[in-house]
Amino acid sequence: MKCTRTLPFFLLSFFTLLTVRSQELLSKEEAVDLTLSNNLGIEIAENNTEIAENNASVLNSGYLPTLTGNAGFNIDRTSTEGQLANGEERQADGVETKRYNASVNANYVLFDGLGRLYNYKSLKEQQNLTELQARETIETTMLQLFTVYYEVARLSENVDNLEQALEISKDRLDRARYQFEYGQSTGLDVLNAEVDVNTDSINLINVRQILKNTKRDLNLIMNRNLEAEFQVDTLVTFVPGLLMEDMLNDASENNVNLLQAESGEQINEFGIKATRGGFLPTVGLFGSYGWNRSENNSPLAFLLQNTSSGLSGGVNLTWNLFDGGRTITQFKNAKIAFKNQELTKKQVELNVERDIRNAWETYKNALYIYEAQKKNVATTRNNFNRTDERFKFGRATSLEFRQAQINYLNAILTKNQAKYTAKIAELAVLQVSGQILNTEF
């Protein structure tokens, strides 16, 4: 009977082991590469950066001349009457007059009050701002990626631990049955052992289902087949030598939100200078080449055909002396917008400092809890081993054995939770300090 029960379980475990080993190991580096290459949010951010780069090119700067071509043709059909110098009267019906024209015109602005210069600088800074926004998207996506990646790792370890707990419960059930068969225990011990096996089986099924769902979440972030199977690296290493003072200094130079606020301040400053250019004149050059031809079949016309062509050019000056106060209003609003951006920057600086201090405290507490939980695991493991020995010799009840098992399992699960919580807290510190993309995971 023992071999009959053990063989199916052995075969199931063997094929499960083969299935697990056949799954690819998704390393952290591979996960990062897949996300950077495939994530849709990052791709959209990169496209926006390309648009900003196009807008900041010389072709959109206003520094190049404009060249236009014009061509036209029209025909008139009229009836005319006329009297010649000798008194003779003549009449022409259905006289056609055909006119052809073509021209090429060039214009170039020499000076526009420096508005063009500061608009171009503003476009360049807009490009920088868009790149910072793309970087923020990447940083946020990386934090999201590793939050899910480490959740998969935690659940994978939990599945292993719950499988071991289930094996312990099954072994206890087998012992309870043997003892009952030989009259060494009551049927109550068998029933209690069966309940514990069912409980551990249900817990394992639930965690496996959550693990499958979380793996789909990770595949979604990497934008690949949602049903792709894989294993993750459960090794967690912490960045050594982190100091809050260093994090604050790094944030002042690298925090992406603070850099965006500074870029916005620069854009508003350029906006003030560009608007100020509206008070100055505009000087430009123009030139054109034109060709005209006229054909007339009227017998009263002096010329039946006329063709002309020529070049023309010059300098023009335009000075908007008063536009109803629109430029003045724009200038005042630009100065207010700049002040608002200065206030926004100060607010971002305070928020960043607060976020770093909060993230740092969370990180240090998480590390302390992790170290404490490791000690709890050692204590509960020792207690479980002793209880197991006492249970084998009948000096501990099944309830005492089960309680020791539960305490040991909970300590392991709590330690795993603390380990990955501490790592995510560390990544949060690195993100707010602007160093998350410079760290090896």
Side-chain angles (χ1 to χ4, degrees), residues 38-109:
N38 302 329
N39 183 268
L40 298 179
I42 293 178
E43 187 174 350
I44 292 173
E46 290 175 346
N47 289 338
N48 290 335
T49 300
E50 187 175 353
I51 292 174
E53 183 178 355
N54 293 336
N55 289 336
S57 70
V58 68
L59 297 177
N60 192 45
S61 65
Y63 276 105
L64 299 179
T66 61
L67 188 65
T68 59
N70 298 293
F73 165 75
N74 63 70
I75 182 171
D76 297 330
R77 184 182 294 273
T78 60
S79 296
T80 60
E81 293 181 357
Q83 185 175 18
L84 301 180
N86 58 9
E88 179 184 355
E89 293 184 358
R90 292 185 180 181
Q91 181 177 349
D93 295 327
V95 175
E96 290 185 353
T97 302
K98 299 178 181 179
R99 297 183 179 86
Y100 307 87
N101 66 84
S103 64
V104 177
N105 306 293
N107 291 277
Y108 182 70
V109 177

Side-chain angles (χ1 to χ4, degrees), residues 207-370:
V207 174
R208 280 175 173 170
Q209 182 58 53
I210 297 173
L211 176 59
K212 288 182 179 179
N213 294 342
T214 309
K215 283 186 175 182
R216 293 190 186 99
D217 293 338
L218 187 58
N219 283 329
L220 179 64
I221 295 174
M222 296 183 295
N223 189 28
R224 66 175 190 170
N225 182 10
L226 297 180
E227 298 301 323
E229 284 293 335
F230 58 90
Q231 291 180 287
V232 297
D233 184 6
T234 58
L235 177 64
V236 173
T237 58
F238 295 95
V239 179
L242 289 182
L243 297 174
M244 188 177 68
E245 292 75 14
D246 294 338
M247 297 295 101
L248 290 171
N249 294 332
D250 290 338
S252 63
E253 299 178 0
N254 299 307
N255 180 272
V256 68
N257 292 322
L258 187 56
L259 293 176
Q260 287 183 61
E262 293 174 353
S263 180
E265 186 179 43
Q266 188 66 57
I267 290 172
N268 279 275
E269 184 177 355
F270 289 145
I272 294 176
K273 294 178 179 180
T275 305
R276 186 184 292 123
F279 296 112
L280 300 176
T282 300
V283 180
L285 298 176
F286 70 90
S288 66
Y289 173 81
W291 175 84
N292 295 277
R293 180 185 179 94
S294 176
E295 296 178 356
N296 192 331
N297 65 355
S298 172
L300 302 180
F302 178 72
L303 292 175
L304 299 181
Q305 180 176 304
N306 181 35
T307 302
S308 64
S309 62
L311 292 169
S312 64
V315 179
N316 55 34
L317 184 147
T318 304
W319 198 336
N320 195 350
L321 298 178
F322 183 69
D323 61 356
R326 183 176 59 184
T327 302
I328 296 175
T329 302
Q330 291 176 348
F331 181 68
K332 290 181 178 179
N333 290 340
K335 293 176 67 176
I336 295 174
F338 178 74
K339 292 180 180 179
N340 284 340
Q341 189 60 38
E342 285 184 322
L343 296 174
T344 299
K345 180 184 175 182
K346 292 180 180 179
Q347 186 178 31
V348 171
E349 289 175 347
L350 292 175
N351 289 339
V352 168
E353 182 179 355
R354 178 207 60 191
D355 293 342
I356 286 181
R357 295 186 182 277
N358 289 347
W360 181 260
E361 290 296 330
T362 302
Y363 170 59
K364 298 302 291 184
N365 289 338
L367 282 180
Y368 176 81
I369 292 173
Y370 175 49

Side-chain angles (χ1 to χ4, degrees), residues 28 134 184 186 232 270 281 324 334 346 406:
K28 303 178 184 69
Q184 297 177 355
T186 64
V232 297
F270 289 145
K346 292 180 180 179
I406 291 176

